[in-house]
Amino acid sequence: MEQIAGIPGINDLSLTTNGVLLEEYAGALTQAGLHRINISLDTVDPDQYKIITRGGEIRKVIRGIVLHRWQV
């Protein structure tokens, strides 16, 4: 991310993710130059999310959004 952000002419850097690792990596990505993030969620129902992602936790994704103050 940092190398891409450092390319002359790159003024806006965004990422699309399912958010599973957002809580862990959002701070580092922001520091590396990420400007925006799109979080693709098929559901916000915890049980359905766990099935769709094969064990993922929607609460972890929501914490990643809230902790890093991403615009909802």
Side-chain angles (χ1 to χ4, degrees), residues 17 19-27 29 37 39 61 64-65 68 70:
T17 178
V20 173
L21 299 175
L22 183 61
E23 183 179 24
E24 184 177 347
Y25 291 106
L29 290 168
I37 192 163
I39 302 162
V61 176
I65 295 167
H68 297 289
W70 295 102

Side-chain angles (χ1 to χ4, degrees), residues 8-61:
I10 301 288
N11 301 317
D12 185 31
L13 191 55
S14 63
L15 173 75
T16 298
T17 178
N18 65 7
V20 173
L21 299 175
L22 183 61
E23 183 179 24
E24 184 177 347
Y25 291 106
L29 290 168
T30 302
Q31 289 179 344
L34 184 65
H35 296 108
R36 297 179 295 122
I37 192 163
N38 176 52
I39 302 162
S40 178
L41 296 174
D42 292 322
T43 183
V44 292
D45 176 270
D47 295 327
Q48 280 295 98
Y49 187 83
K50 189 171 281 196
I51 291 167
I52 292 168
T53 61
R54 298 184 181 120
E57 294 288 335
I58 189 69
R59 289 175 186 88
K60 185 175 178 181
V61 176

